[in-house]
Each structure stands twice: as structure tokens, then as C-alpha cells.
Amino acid sequence: MVRLNKLKDQQGIIFNLLYSVVAIVIALLLGGILIYLSGHDPGKAYYHLVYGAFGNSYNLAQTLLNSTPLIFTGLAVAIGFQSGLFNIGGEGQLYWGALATAVTALTFPHLPGLILLPLALLAGALAGGCWGVIPGYLKARTGAHEVITTIMLNYIAILATTFLLRNYYKEAGPVDQTPLIAESARMAELIPFTRLSWAIFLGLAVVVLSDYLLKKTSIGYDIQAVGKNSAAAEYAGISVPGIYILTMGFSGAVAGLTGSTLVLGLFNRFITNFSPGYGFTGIAVAVLGRNRPWGVLLAALLFGALEAGGMSMQLYARIPADLMRIIQGLVILLVAAPAFIQLLVGSLLNRPGGGAK
Amino acid sequence: MNVVELKNISKSFGNSLANDSIDLAVKRGEIHCLLGENGAGKTTLMKILFGLYSQDQGSILINGAEVEIKSPRQAIELGLGMIHQHFMLVGRLTVTENIIAGREPRRGILIDYAEGMRQVKELTATYQLSVNPGARVEDISIGEQQRVEILKALYRQAEILILDEPTAVLTPQETGELFAVLKKLKESGKTIIFITHKLKETMAISDRVTILRDGKKVATIATSATSPTELARLMVGREVILRVKKAAAMVGKTVLQADHLTYYHKKNNRQLEQLSFVIKAGEILGVAGVEGNGQQELEELITGLSRNSQGKIFFKGKDISSWSIRERRYAGIGHIPSDRLKRGLIPDFNLEKNLILGSEWQQPYARKGFLDYKVIRENSKVIIERFRIKTSGSQALVQDLSGGNQQKVIIGRELRREPELIVAAQPTRGVDVGAIEYIHKLLLKMREEGKGVLLISAELDELLSLSDRLIVLYEGRIVASGNTVDFTEAELGLLMAGQGRGGVKNGPTE
Ligand SMILES: Nc1ncnc2c1ncn2[C@@H]1O[C@H](COP(=O)(O)OP(=O)(O)O)[C@@H](O)[C@H]1O
Ligand SMILES: [Mg+2]
């Protein structure tokens, strides 16, 4: 194990990439066996998987569209993790982000887009951030474990936003949703008829920004110091509680942007229960992306591709959607079972063994 | 007559050669020290003998007959017993249960616990290893646990006992007791192989000593025919000054003043009571005491890691009692923490990042919150060179450095800040002789430069050779204080054990 860890350090990013690729390939192989066993043709299935994800500009747009929210939620988890916190509250934070954004856009319909859009985004980030600060504060003050508090706060957020919607912002009609926001507040489509908006670029920007923040700034240094050894951080004069609060705020803000971009770029309104669990999928994305911003980007793209490809597999190769979920699950499982794959990669790189008998 | 003979033993781990053609002959009934710095290959060699590792080459002879030892079980059958650096006891079980485990006396199919207890009592009486056979292992002290390990080996009829750095975990008193036990064992005809990197212990206990360096055997000599200085030279491979010379103190203004510090710990009830002392520029104040008598609390109070105390702390005349850690650091207090891996370093940060820990917001490493890696790298190069840190470079992870080099990282970083006061807690713990010498020189250099040093240490030698003045802590109180020259080692030992002759040496604390 010691040897393998050393090996991992030596190879750094290359190793991580190689490692993840091996995990994905094994998952796809196992998935292929499952597809075969369930009476389908794996070759055909995987052709449609790849074609459905990258085959033409429309399919590619679907992949990116699916990836966008996951970039944000994955990043939110990864950022929390940098200071050693496990933010499972992305789901709740994104609901607040979505509601705040929708309400802002609805409140100022006459503002020009150039002002309204940033304002609405800011409102979403702020709302998500505030919701993230709560568990951060509880952790800092009372030591309450953030996993528990963020899970609880998810329920409160989802129910509270629904309550507010029904009582104050609901459009007349049977559906629990706000009226449409003004045209000027919508994020423009990148490719016509694909619904892919430039929210993806905002995601990219946040990736670049987080990466820069973590690597090149003093505050990023402090965040990582707390995550890697909070006792030493304290020794060095870093306020550990302060960093917890700050990181959770930052993480919550990024999660909030998930909701904002969905409102401004996709639904153009707030709808109850609109998220199919982006906040939770973000955890898997962060794990797969090794909690690093660029890793999260790649992982989100992979998830988006699997989603889009899975859809076409289902349509054209008649593979049940559940199989796709199983393959996704396998990818995560294999990434989360590092010992096994490390061993495999270790022997692939063919390092001579040594050590105890 | 050699009971154990190792011939031409080699063992490598990956690319590193831990044992390189080592010969070792141990005579029956002797105490044989295996001396070497950390990483010299002592543990590896003994694990080969005990059947835990297999050698790449070489042979083992027990009582003159060549044997192949494939497992500890086989080693035990051959009369070997090994007491590891980390004990292998079950805390929830009693002393007796731990000792007889696997070889229980039986009555029919049942374990005859009473008989086991009787046998253990007999053993403790024979070898004067005082330990209560009925006590739970988790309730007894580390020193007693070690005796249980020894009893375990004796119960299995070991004739040759291997002890791997047994004193590392003991207080000076317990070390004394262990040595008495070992002498007793020797008298009764047992052979003892004693692994250590401490010169004093080697001189005190052994008949002969074999020195290892970088996996090679350097020499085997009779202890009576050698000296600590020679041993240090053989061990490190160059001349080592064991007791650094120091010039007379040139004391200046008061740097630190503690005024009736009283501290109640939140969790357990350890406390400090009414601690008052001063440290002047250009002097080293040593804090002696058995660990757990308030040293850690004192360290934390002065550096700001804990603040809820009564009493006051003045630094250069200012009351800093309520200042944050960062404020104190920025004001000029440096800190070498007693637990270097837990507090002093971020093991999976690389070297250059560890070297700015605590300065990451300050010029020239950062400007308005943006890190300047060019300066950071330059800084790291300077420190690596100046403090002779052995590493592959600024990008190396600190967790891959040896203990001594990790300590140099901390000291290099703290001294680079040019503090007015340095709180050095256990600065040489677990560090090689060569590095100890170097660290001592650095502390003395600080003193010469007119800085104040608070030296908290469990090593009496260190305290006596470095400190200008001493305070002795016992159960959170200063039980004695005075000029170092007025204390003998024996006196200090007694004071630390709480057996001070009421009020002796309550000389001036300033
Ligand atoms: N299980 C192991 N795997 C890899 N390297 C090891 C292992 N055990 C020891 N080594 C290496 O072998 C060398 C000798 O170690 P060791 O025998 O523990 O030294 P000592 O006991 O004298 O401090 C060191 O460089 C150490 O890093
Ligand atoms: Mg060892």
C-alpha cells in the first residue's frame, strides 16, 4: 500500500486520469456483460451510447446540457471537501438559488438584461451561500456534523421554497410554478433548438476561478490547510471556524448557481421539485473528479454523456434506462473502491514487488 | 559461544537496501546493543531474525546450527522473543490473559485461568517484574505494558529477548526500572538484544554494541572499550559534538513574562497553577518535567493555542493574554510544537507550502492575498540549503521526509520569521543524533542573537546542556526553579517525580 501511494504521488494527475479511465472501462465492460445477459447486443448498445452522447451537434449539446448543473453541484461538493467538509446540502442550496433568482427576475422585469441577469445570478448565489453558511456556522460553533445538518436543511429548503411559491409567487393554474420571467432575463441559447445556454460557460468560469482561488491565493491556501490538517492550520494562526463558515458559504453559493442557471437558461421560471437530485449526483461527480475543479468538470461531462447516450441507447437499442443507471453506479463504485484498481494499475505499470513476506 | 549468528544478511525494499551484507554475533548471556540512527536497518534485521521478513541473502545460526526461520512461531520455538516498538496487547483483557493467550494451561478442554495466574505470578516473582496479573492491560501504565510484553516472551520460554527501542515510550524513571529488569534477566542467563539510537542507554546497559549505518554494519565493540563520542562518530559517520558548548549568557530586556498563569483544562482535569516566570533576551529557560505535568498546557498558553487562563502573559511588555495565535506569531513568537506531525506540518502539502505555513498572508510570499510562487520557491530553496534539509526538492511531500528533516522544516520555517521568542517544545524528540546536534546549535545561536527561548523538554541532557535557567513542573506547579548550574541530574529526576525537598532551589526566577 505504501508503495502504491508513493506511486500515485509520483504520477500525480496522469495517474488519476489513467486510474479513472481504467475504472470507466471496467464499468463499461461489466455493463456490457449485463446488457448481453439481459438479451441485448452490447455492440449496438454502446454504438448508440457513444453516438447519442457525441454523434452530432444536437447530441453533443444534450451532453453539455446534462453536464451543466452537475458542474456546479459537483464543484460545490469539491469546494467543501477542500476544507474537509462534506456538503450534502447542495440540493437545498440550489432550490434557494433557483427561487431567489426567479423572484429577482420577476420583481424587476423592466431592467435591461445586462443588469438583470447578473443581478439574478447574484441573488441565487447569495441565497445558496446563506443556506450553506448555516451548517458552516453550526459546525464552527457547536461542532454539529455538517452531514447531518445539511441533510436536514435540504428538507427544509425544498419544503420552504414550495411553501413560498404556493403562497406568494404562484402563477394561476394547476401547476406549482411561477410565471415566466422576462425575455431579457433569460440566458440565450447557444445552438438553436437545443436549449443549451451559455450557463455552461459560467460553469467553466467557476471551475477556472475555484481552481485559481485554491491554488494561487492565500485564502485558498488556508482552506486547504484546514482540510488537510486542521490542528496545524490552527497552530499557524488560521481561524478554523472562520474557514468552515467561509467554505460552506462559497460551496453553497456555487450550488445556488445551479438553481439560478436552470431557471434563467432552461425553465425560465421556478417550478417545485424541479431537481432530479442534482445536489446528490454532485457528490458522485466530486468523488469521480477527485474533488478538484478540473476533475469535476471532466466527471460532470462524463455523467452528462452517459445520460445523453443512455437516452439514445434506450430509444434505439431498447436498453432499459435502469441498465444505464447500473453502469453509472458501477463507475462510481469502482472509483470508490480504489484499492482494487490501484492494484491493477500498479501491476499494469509493472513495478517490481518487494517488502514483507 | 554465540547463541545468535547472522551471516551476510541482505534485504531490500524496492530500490532501497535496508540491510547490506550484515554480520552479527551475539554471545550467550550478554546484553548486546544494536545501535544506529533511524532508518539504519535495525528493525529490519531483527524482523528477519524473528521470522517476520525473509532475507534476500545470508544465513542465520542459532546455537551454532543453521536454521531457516519462516515465521515468528518458529522463532519462538527456537527460543526467541521480540518486544516490538508498538505493543501487541489486547487492552480489554487482563495481564494474565494477554500473557497466556495461545498457550493457555488447560484442565480438560477448559482454560485453567487460576493456573495461568499462578504461573504468571511465579514469573513476576522470579524476574522481579512488578505487575498485577489481574489488572486490565488498558488500565496499566506504558511501562507496565512493556513488562507484560516481556513476560509474554518469558512465558513462551524465550532465551533470547529482542527489544526494539524499548525506552522510546518510557519516562526516565521507567527506563531505570527497565534496565534493572534487564540486568536481572541477564543474571539468570538470558541473552538480550537491545535496539536503540541513544548513546547513553547503550553505555549504561550493554556489554557489547554493534553499530549499523545506512544498512551496513560499521563495527562491533565492547562497551567498556568505547565512549559516547566514538559511538556517535561511528553511528553518524562524522565527528559529532554531543554537548554543544555555549558562551556565557548576555541577557537583555525581558521578552516574556508569565504572571500567575492558572489554567483549567476543559476535558480532563489537568491544570496549571500560579505559574510565574520571565525569559530575557539572550537566554534559554528550560522547563523540566515528566510529560503530562502541564508542559503542553504551558506551550499552548504562550503560543495562544488556548487562551482561557487566569493570569497574564506579557510579551515585550505588552499584555498578550487575549491575543490570537496569528497576532502573537506576527508580533514575533515562533513555535516548534511538541507534536510535529499533528501541529507543525501539513504532511501532504509539499515542502515549499509547508515552509510558508503561517506566513501565507504576509509579504513577500503574498501580496493582497495572492501567492507569489516565485518567492515561495526561492524561500524554500534558501531554507533547504541553510538548514541542510535532505529532500528531493521543494515539491517533495513533507510526509516523505525523515523525522529529523521534518523537524528541520519546522525549525527552518520558524527561524526564518526571525522571532524574538521561540517556544521550542520537545525539539529533538525522535530525531537522529546528527540532527539533534544541529538543532541544539540553532537554539544556542538564537540565544546568542539575543532572542528568548522557552525550551520544554523531557530530555534531561538537553535541558542541562542548553538552558541558562530551569523551572521544574510537577502536577502543574513550579516545584523548583533556579540557575541550571545549581541542579544535578539526579536532583532533577527526583524533583520531576514529585519528590522535591520542599522549596529547595526556589531561587530567583529572573
Ligand atoms: N516494510 C517496509 N517497506 C519498505 N521500506 C521499509 C520497510 N521497512 C523498513 N523500510 C526501509 O528500510 C530502511 C531501514 O528501516 P528500519 O529497519 O526500520 O530502520 P531502523 O529500525 O534502524 O530505524 C529504511 O530506509 C526504511 O524506510
Ligand atoms: Mg526501528
Side-chain angles (χ1 to χ4, degrees), chain B residues 224-491:
Chain B
S224 53
T226 186
S227 66
T229 318
E230 186 189 19
L231 287 178
R233 183 169 51 74
L234 291 169
M235 193 169 145
V236 181
R238 62 176 171 83
E239 285 301 329
V240 179
I241 302 157
L242 293 175
R243 247 190 196 213
V244 278
K245 265 186 251 136
K246 73 180 179 197
M250 298 266 293
V251 294
K253 281 194 193 146
T254 297
V255 178
L256 186 90
Q257 183 187 355
D259 185 14
H260 294 92
L261 277 184
T262 297
Y263 176 64
Y264 298 93
H265 204 287
K266 263 179 276 175
K267 288 174 208 146
N268 39 33
N269 241 351
R270 255 190 239 156
Q271 52 193 38
L272 288 180
E273 276 197 39
Q274 307 282 343
L275 251 56
S276 295
F277 58 84
V278 299
I279 301 175
K280 297 211 161 151
E283 71 168 357
I284 298 179
L285 177 71
V287 179
V290 177
E291 274 206 91
N293 279 281
Q295 292 93 326
Q296 199 185 333
E297 287 75 6
L298 179 62
E299 173 191 348
E300 292 182 354
L301 279 181
I302 304 293
T303 53
L305 276 160
S306 54
R307 251 167 288 164
N308 49 338
S309 62
Q310 290 155 26
K312 286 196 160 56
I313 303 168
F314 296 94
F315 177 62
K316 294 197 289 180
K318 285 191 206 111
D319 182 358
I320 60 163
S321 314
S322 60
W323 288 18
S324 71
I325 299 167
R326 187 170 271 169
E327 282 170 323
R328 295 185 200 201
R329 292 182 73 86
Y330 285 6
I333 298 182
H335 182 192
I336 301 166
S338 49
D339 195 335
R340 68 169 163 266
L341 275 179
K342 186 172 154 245
R343 281 264 186 228
L345 294 167
I346 299 184
D348 50 349
F349 265 7
N350 62 23
L351 207 57
E352 62 181 23
K353 282 177 102 175
N354 267 289
L355 286 171
I356 59 159
L357 183 64
S359 307
E360 76 273 9
W361 287 93
Q362 288 183 302
Q363 299 248 27
Y365 313 110
R367 251 167 245 278
K368 300 203 164 71
F370 291 93
L371 296 171
D372 185 342
Y373 274 98
K374 237 174 90 187
V375 179
I376 292 171
R377 203 145 299 161
E378 197 48 47
N379 173 62
S380 140
K381 275 191 200 135
V382 169
I383 297 182
I384 289 173
E385 200 182 289
R386 188 181 301 166
F387 293 86
R388 295 182 236 137
I389 298 168
K390 260 193 228 154
T391 168
S392 57
S394 298
Q395 302 302 313
L397 295 185
V398 158
Q399 64 187 8
D400 294 337
L401 299 185
S402 74
N405 281 296
Q406 288 178 340
Q407 193 70 342
K408 285 187 197 168
V409 170
I410 295 178
I411 296 178
R413 179 186 69 211
E414 295 304 299
L415 295 195
R416 179 88 166 143
R417 301 176 59 89
E418 301 188 344
E420 295 286 311
L421 170 77
I422 191 129
V423 178
Q426 319 293 354
T428 58
R429 174 179 291 166
V431 180
D432 299 335
V433 182
I436 289 177
E437 174 199 27
Y438 184 61
I439 291 168
H440 284 176
K441 277 188 187 161
L442 286 174
L443 291 175
L444 286 178
K445 188 156 159 270
M446 278 208 64
R447 168 180 175 269
E448 269 159 39
E449 286 166 3
K451 313 288 170 64
V453 179
L454 179 66
L455 174 67
I456 301 173
S457 175
E459 298 286 335
L460 290 185
D461 275 351
E462 180 164 283
L463 288 168
L464 288 170
S465 70
L466 295 183
S467 315
D468 298 299
R469 287 183 302 109
L470 278 173
I471 57 178
V472 184
L473 281 188
Y474 179 71
E475 291 185 347
R477 290 164 207 266
I478 296 179
V479 291
S481 63
N483 291 327
T484 307
V485 288
D486 298 334
F487 289 93
T488 66
E489 195 164 335
E491 252 175 338

Side-chain angles (χ1 to χ4, degrees), chain B residues 136-202:
Chain B
R136 274 199 203 194
V137 163
E138 63 191 2
D139 297 333
I140 63 181
S141 73
I142 299 286
E144 285 170 312
Q145 288 181 12
Q146 192 171 58
R147 277 176 240 150
V148 175
E149 284 281 11
I150 295 174
L151 283 166
K152 233 167 93 180
L154 293 173
Y155 181 78
R156 284 158 182 69
Q157 267 124 36
E159 285 301 315
I160 306 149
L161 285 165
I162 306 163
L163 294 101
D164 195 351
E165 309 230 4
T167 58
V169 292
L170 301 182
T171 64
Q173 275 73 25
E174 285 174 327
T175 301
E177 288 163 23
L178 173 69
F179 282 7
V181 167
L182 293 183
K183 286 192 175 133
K184 193 91 201 160
L185 287 169
K186 180 184 149 183
E187 273 169 34
S188 66
K190 309 278 182 195
T191 308
I192 290 159
I193 303 176
F194 188 98
I195 303 181
T196 185
H197 65 256
K198 295 191 176 159
L199 303 169
K200 219 168 106 185
E201 290 174 0
T202 308

